[in-house]
Amino acid sequence: MNTVFAVTLVFVGCCSNVVFLELLVRDHPGCGNIVTFAQFAFIALEGFVFETNFGRKKPAIPISNYVIMVTMFFTVSVINNYALNFNIAMPLHMIFRSGSLIANMILGIIILKRRYSTSKYLSIVLVSVGIFICTVMSAKQVSSVKGATDEDGVHVFLHWLLGIAMLTFALLLSARMGIFQETLYKKYGKHSKEALFYNHCLPLPGFLLLSTNIYNHAVLFSQSSPVEIPIIGHSVPVMWLYLMMNVITQYVCIRGVFILTTECTSLTVTLVVTLRKFLSLIISILYFRNPFTVWHWVGTAVVFLGTLLYTEVWSCFRTPVKGEKPDKKTE
């Protein structure tokens, strides 16, 4: 029952979160910082009350280790949201972030000297090819902006290329953070709720560096057209409503993933999150009518095929049918 509840939270929370994020970004493309700050502040406040018991509970993992993890987590979160300022369409943004498994695998080979099965190496190729196809097709769309001169087109393309570089850096740094988390959990045990709190609480002072940008967008949000909230009966600026719903749905999504990690295997969690990303992509394309060519669909299919191949989901379906014992997972 808990598993079904958790899966429901993941799909409803994460897919709704994508909708509200796109509503925010469409009107204010540079609002990534205020969105990130609001999410961090809400989750940190919840963790302070329910996880640390108003600061009375001592952390199981030393704070010094959390500082390292938080530095990476904060950088990844800010860069991922800030990349939306560089003409990065939401579908491409989601497809790019789907390469997190592969980035983790590549760094695992380089840093931890791990060796993987042939199927996992094939999955690297598939995901890389899929992301490459989608990126090239998006590059062509950016280069051919209607009504733009050649000079403007080059400027727009270079602007977009910087956004791609930011997403690539964030992807690799996120994978490095995952490896660091893995080593910490092996040493101190798994404390995911605690890590969730410190990952969102410790970076809050870092937002002072972005305070001007956050304040400017808070003013812009306050100037947006008012909308009445049915139950309360009061009117609020529509952008603040979108932000509030984005924060709440982000929390629902994270809570769903947390419950799922305690109830299911990591393979099941990966599969659910992958399917959720695919559904979010479909919603972004159909509901918001984001430009998506046949080649984008091909690239997307290859990315998700590679991700499913990485998780070895096929063997999980084959094992119950043939009555085989599952093979020991190859690291």
Side-chain angles (χ1 to χ4, degrees), residues 128-147:
S128 300
V129 169
I131 292 176
F132 177 76
I133 291 172
C134 291
T135 305
V136 169
M137 291 302 108
S138 297
K140 289 183 177 180
Q141 289 176 342
V142 171
S143 298
S144 57
V145 179
K146 291 182 179 179

Side-chain angles (χ1 to χ4, degrees), residues 30-64:
C31 69
N33 290 330
I34 191 173
V35 172
T36 308
F37 172 71
Q39 292 174 351
F40 273 53
F42 182 84
I43 294 173
L45 179 62
E46 188 273 343
F48 180 72
V49 175
F50 297 104
E51 172 58 23
T52 69
N53 192 19
F54 295 95
R56 288 193 286 264
K57 180 182 174 183
K58 292 184 177 180
I61 299 175
I63 292 292
S64 58

Side-chain angles (χ1 to χ4, degrees), residues 20-38:
F20 289 111
L21 178 59
E22 184 131 11
L23 288 170
L24 287 163
V25 171
R26 287 224 154 185
D27 284 348
H28 299 282
C31 69
N33 290 330
I34 191 173
V35 172
T36 308
F37 172 71

Side-chain angles (χ1 to χ4, degrees), residues 29 82-90 92 138 142 145 155-161 163-164:
Y82 198 67
L84 293 169
N85 295 5
F86 294 83
N87 300 326
I88 303 292
M90 280 299 294
L92 180 61
S138 297
V142 171
V145 179
H155 176 74
V156 169
F157 177 73
L158 292 175
H159 195 66
W160 173 86
L161 209 57
I164 293 296

Side-chain angles (χ1 to χ4, degrees), residues 19-326:
V19 171
F20 289 111
L21 178 59
E22 184 131 11
L23 288 170
L24 287 163
V25 171
R26 287 224 154 185
D27 284 348
H28 299 282
C31 69
N33 290 330
I34 191 173
V35 172
T36 308
F37 172 71
Q39 292 174 351
F40 273 53
F42 182 84
I43 294 173
L45 179 62
E46 188 273 343
F48 180 72
V49 175
F50 297 104
E51 172 58 23
T52 69
N53 192 19
F54 295 95
R56 288 193 286 264
K57 180 182 174 183
K58 292 184 177 180
I61 299 175
I63 292 292
S64 58
N65 288 314
Y66 276 125
V67 170
I68 298 172
M69 189 192 304
V70 159
T71 302
M72 290 188 280
F73 182 69
F74 176 75
T75 305
V76 168
S77 299
V78 171
I79 288 178
N80 271 327
N81 282 331
Y82 198 67
L84 293 169
N85 295 5
F86 294 83
N87 300 326
I88 303 292
M90 280 299 294
L92 180 61
H93 193 271
M94 285 184 276
I95 293 167
F96 225 90
R97 294 179 70 178
S98 296
S100 55
L101 273 176
I102 309 306
N104 188 277
M105 183 177 168
I106 292 172
L107 290 188
I109 295 171
I110 297 171
I111 298 172
L112 302 178
K113 308 299 181 184
R114 286 178 174 169
R115 293 295 175 264
Y116 298 88
S117 62
T118 305
S119 64
K120 283 183 166 52
Y121 286 117
L122 178 59
S123 71
I124 283 184
V125 175
L126 288 175
V127 172
S128 300
V129 169
I131 292 176
F132 177 76
I133 291 172
C134 291
T135 305
V136 169
M137 291 302 108
S138 297
K140 289 183 177 180
Q141 289 176 342
V142 171
S143 298
S144 57
V145 179
K146 291 182 179 179
T149 64
D150 290 342
E151 187 176 344
D152 289 337
V154 170
H155 176 74
V156 169
F157 177 73
L158 292 175
H159 195 66
W160 173 86
L161 209 57
L162 181 58
I164 293 296
M166 292 172 68
L167 286 179
T168 303
F169 176 77
L171 193 66
L172 293 172
L173 186 59
S174 177
R176 182 64 186 90
M177 182 182 72
I179 292 174
F180 183 71
Q181 277 182 313
E182 187 178 330
T183 57
L184 283 184
Y185 290 160
K186 281 182 180 179
K187 185 176 181 179
Y188 298 101
K190 289 189 176 182
H191 303 279
S192 46
K193 279 200 74 175
E194 177 185 288
L196 183 67
F197 164 70
Y198 284 104
N199 277 342
H200 288 81
C201 178
L202 293 181
L204 288 178
F207 285 101
L208 289 173
L209 300 173
L210 310 170
S211 58
T212 303
N213 180 271
I214 292 172
Y215 174 76
N216 290 339
H217 279 89
V219 173
L220 290 173
F221 280 16
S222 298
Q223 293 172 349
S224 61
S225 56
V227 61
E228 186 175 329
I229 302 176
I231 301 175
I232 302 176
H234 290 284
S235 295
V236 296
V238 67
M239 297 306 293
W240 282 115
L241 179 62
Y242 290 158
L243 180 62
M244 180 182 70
M245 294 305 298
N246 175 269
V247 169
I248 292 172
T249 51
Q250 174 75 359
Y251 174 74
V252 170
C253 176
I254 289 177
R255 287 293 294 160
V257 173
F258 169 74
I259 296 172
L260 209 57
T261 55
T262 61
E263 297 289 331
C264 308
T265 63
S266 59
L267 172 63
T268 304
V269 175
T270 302
L271 181 59
V272 170
V273 171
T274 301
L275 292 174
R276 191 278 302 168
K277 286 179 180 178
F278 186 74
L279 182 59
S280 297
L281 182 65
I282 300 298
I283 292 172
S284 177
I285 294 163
L286 298 181
Y287 184 77
F288 291 99
R289 300 186 183 279
N290 281 310
F292 217 70
T293 65
V294 173
W295 281 107
H296 280 98
W297 282 113
V298 171
T300 303
V302 173
V303 167
F304 285 102
L305 177 63
T307 305
L308 293 176
L309 182 63
Y310 180 92
T311 60
E312 297 177 353
V313 69
W314 318 115
S315 60
C316 288
F317 284 125
R318 186 176 68 247
T319 299
V321 174
K322 293 186 177 181
E324 301 171 353
K325 291 183 179 180

